[in-house]
Amino acid sequence: MAQSIAEERVILRDLGDGLVLRRATVADTEALAAFNAEIFDEGDAAATRDLMSGDHPTCDAGDFTLVEDTSTHAIVSSLCLIPQTWAYGGIEFGVGRPELVGTHPDYRRRGLIRAQFEVIHQWSAERGHKLQAITGISYFYRQFGYEMALELEGGRVGYKTHVPKLKGDEKEPYRVRPTTEADLPFVAQVYEQAMKRSLVACVRNEVLLRYELQGWSEESSNRSELRVIESVEGEPVGFLVHPPKLWKQRMGVNAYELKSGVSWLAVTPTVIRYLWATGEEYAAQDEEQEMEAFAFWLGTEHPVYQVIHDRLPHEIKPYAWYVRVPDLPDFLRHIRPVLERRLADSALVGHTGELRVSFYSDGLRLVFEDGRMTAVEKWIPTADDEEAARFPGHTFLQLLLGYRTLRELKYAFPDCGVETDEAQALLKNLFPRRASNVLPVG
């Protein structure tokens, strides 16, 4: 459980015009839930109650900010910060997840969200978070120093005709069942194994998995169904996660993993049949929905796509995470073992030299000696420095997080440039494109 904040109305800032920015308390729970029900929906109201209850492993009421109109005592804007642990190439670091960001329509365009982001960015820094990340509407979070730099969702879709059928008297070779607490060590182990496929991943230990299994309330928008896949002999072989309802007439999985040594080709037909049957059950419970398709929302790269390609004819392009890295030198120093390993495995093994990276108004200087990164420091570019690699705005984050290649960035942004062979070789080998699939849940 996160450390609770003292039950008092902590005023963080007077915003003028009768508006105050303050830290929320448990006493604000129902008012804030009602506010989020109005701004979003009842599922987010339930998630608000869950996060403010003190039962969540990393978040409680004191991680919410709110803006109050003192003339009416109404909440007019709010958001929260959910601490998480992510990993880059296996190296873990703290992350702050802003969520439930909303303002009443009558109070928009007054800078209320900006003021709250300034607060939670400070909180995040105080907790040692090296990165902030949020899912959200197009463009909006760029205003606060974020760049769209990681894949978000996306996947493949199949239809009834693509559901594999059992032949004759053939019996289902696997079964999908509800997860129990006793299954959590197995699920955690398989999840940890799967993280290795993703450059950036969210770390989920047994405590977090237990909350995913038991913590979210029935009505919460964050609730998912966690299922174990087992053989007919009862041996667990994998797990999957899916929503508790249809989405756009589709029944899909947000996570699907098998333990090492188990064939995806053998297990996946059972999973598809389970999805179709479950989707039909959900449709029968909701007269506004009809089961039309099954889906694997597993990003652009996943082993399942290799074994049932023809059964997933419809591809859904991914959206993107917004990411903010407030101290790039610090982050690069933190992931130095990954960068040095990449260099050692490249044609630049044992390299000695420096790499200057310009963001036009500021930049970075990286120093290498015999293949080791000995220094990373802030650097101010000059107008006549023609050897520095140039990345406008926060576009360098796309390269850093494996979202885009150097060539793709140079094509998309004419003011992105790399003039020397040394800089180009270093950037390509230090920051190759590599897919990530970060589950966007609390």
Side-chain angles (χ1 to χ4, degrees):
M1 181 187 301
Q3 182 67 38
S4 296
I5 302 299
E7 285 299 298
E8 56 184 19
R9 295 161 65 87
V10 180
I11 305 298
L12 301 170
R13 192 179 302 178
D14 187 331
L15 301 178
D17 297 324
L19 303 179
V20 294
L21 167 57
R22 64 178 177 86
R23 190 191 292 266
T25 70
V26 172
D28 295 308
T29 299
E30 287 308 315
L32 195 48
F35 172 79
N36 281 332
E38 180 181 359
I39 298 297
F40 304 111
D41 57 36
E42 290 295 337
D44 289 309
T48 300
R49 294 187 185 94
D50 293 339
L51 290 168
M52 297 185 75
S53 69
D55 294 332
H56 189 276
T58 68
C59 182
D60 65 14
D63 294 304
F64 282 74
T65 60
L66 59 85
V67 177
E68 180 180 321
D69 188 331
T70 57
S71 66
T72 62
H73 300 294
I75 296 172
V76 301
S77 184
S78 179
L79 54 83
C80 73
L81 180 72
I82 304 175
Q84 291 188 332
T85 300
W86 288 13
Y88 181 102
I91 297 178
E92 297 183 3
F93 55 92
V95 171
R97 281 275 317 281
E99 265 300 339
L100 295 168
V101 181
T103 299
H104 189 281
D106 294 344
Y107 291 81
R108 290 173 183 168
R109 297 188 178 275
R110 299 193 192 184
L112 306 186
I113 296 298
R114 182 177 297 278
Q116 291 174 90
F117 262 84
E118 290 171 358
V119 169
I120 65 164
H121 285 165
Q122 179 181 341
W123 291 354
S124 199
E126 290 168 355
R127 297 177 187 191
H129 298 161
K130 297 188 180 298
L131 182 151
Q132 290 84 42
I134 185 172
T135 62
I137 58 176
S138 298
Y139 173 75
F140 187 76
Y141 297 100
R142 292 183 184 276
Q143 302 173 86
F144 313 125
Y146 289 75
E147 176 74 12
M148 301 185 98
L150 275 174
E151 283 188 6
L152 174 60
E153 298 176 337
R156 312 282 178 87
V157 179
Y159 303 92
K160 188 172 184 177
T161 186
H162 300 112
V163 177
K165 295 178 175 59
L166 293 170
K167 299 176 182 178
D169 58 355
E170 180 185 6
K171 295 182 179 179
E172 195 69 75
Y174 298 90
R175 53 183 170 235
V176 182
R177 61 165 174 82
T179 302
T180 68
E181 187 166 350
D183 294 313
L184 295 182
F186 168 78
V187 173
Q189 180 183 15
V190 176
Y191 180 84
E192 183 177 3
Q193 166 197 309
M195 282 176 55
K196 297 175 183 178
R197 289 199 316 271
S198 184
L199 173 59
V200 181
C202 180
V203 177
R204 296 189 179 282
N205 55 27
E206 288 185 39
V207 173
L208 289 168
L209 288 170
R210 184 173 295 107
Y211 192 84
E212 296 294 331
L213 180 65
Q214 304 170 346
W216 296 113
S217 58
E218 191 74 18
E219 302 81 13
S220 173
S221 57
N222 284 344
R223 186 174 72 85
S224 295
E225 300 293 346
L226 179 58
R227 297 287 185 260
V228 164
I229 309 163
E230 64 182 13
S231 67
V232 292
E233 293 79 21
E235 178 189 359
V237 299
F239 73 90
L240 57 84
V241 177
H242 64 75
K245 60 183 179 181
L246 293 179
W247 184 74
K248 293 187 177 180
Q249 322 295 338
R250 296 166 178 163
M251 184 70 249
V253 293
N254 305 110
Y256 169 33
E257 298 298 338
L258 300 177
K259 71 178 185 180
S260 180
V262 176
S263 167
W264 292 90
L265 184 61
V267 177
T268 301
T270 295
V271 170
I272 295 174
R273 288 189 286 268
Y274 166 81
L275 290 176
W276 195 267
T278 302
E280 289 188 322
E281 290 178 12
Y282 288 165
Q285 299 166 12
D286 184 351
E287 59 184 23
E288 295 182 1
Q289 293 275 15
E290 183 178 349
M291 178 61 180
E292 294 183 354
F294 63 92
F296 290 89
W297 304 117
L298 305 173
T300 57
E301 297 182 15
H302 191 276
V304 73
Y305 301 150
Q306 301 172 27
V307 299
I308 56 165
H309 182 273
D310 291 343
R311 295 188 186 275
L312 299 170
H314 186 193
E315 181 175 352
I316 305 295
K317 298 295 185 183
Y319 190 52
W321 281 88
Y322 285 98
V323 178
R324 175 180 180 265
V325 181
D327 189 339
L328 266 172
D330 175 66
F331 187 78
L332 289 167
R333 284 191 288 266
H334 186 73
I335 64 168
R336 182 174 64 183
V338 175
L339 303 182
E340 291 181 344
R341 188 163 59 245
R342 288 172 176 170
L343 206 57
D345 292 339
S346 76
L348 281 74
V349 58
H351 179 73
T352 295
E354 71 172 34
L355 172 65
R356 296 192 299 277
V357 182
S358 168
F359 310 131
Y360 288 90
S361 59
D362 60 0
L364 296 172
R365 177 175 173 268
L366 288 70
V367 179
F368 299 89
E369 293 182 10
D370 299 324
R372 295 184 62 249
M373 193 168 73
T374 57
V376 185
E377 58 193 19
K378 292 184 178 181
W379 167 75
I380 304 300
T382 59
D384 57 354
D385 192 333
E386 297 181 354
E387 295 188 354
R390 302 181 303 279
F391 295 88
H394 301 291
T395 55
F396 180 73
L397 295 183
Q398 297 186 38
L399 188 71
L400 170 65
L401 299 176
Y403 183 60
R404 294 287 184 260
T405 65
L406 180 61
R407 181 173 183 172
E408 288 169 337
L409 287 173
K410 290 168 68 176
Y411 175 80
F413 300 94
D415 50 354
C416 175
V418 183
E419 303 302 330
T420 70
D421 291 339
E422 180 183 357
Q424 184 148 277
L426 280 168
L427 289 167
K428 285 183 175 180
N429 286 284
L430 289 171
F431 307 110
R433 182 170 182 174
R434 186 174 166 193
S436 296
N437 185 25
V438 183
L439 294 179
V441 295

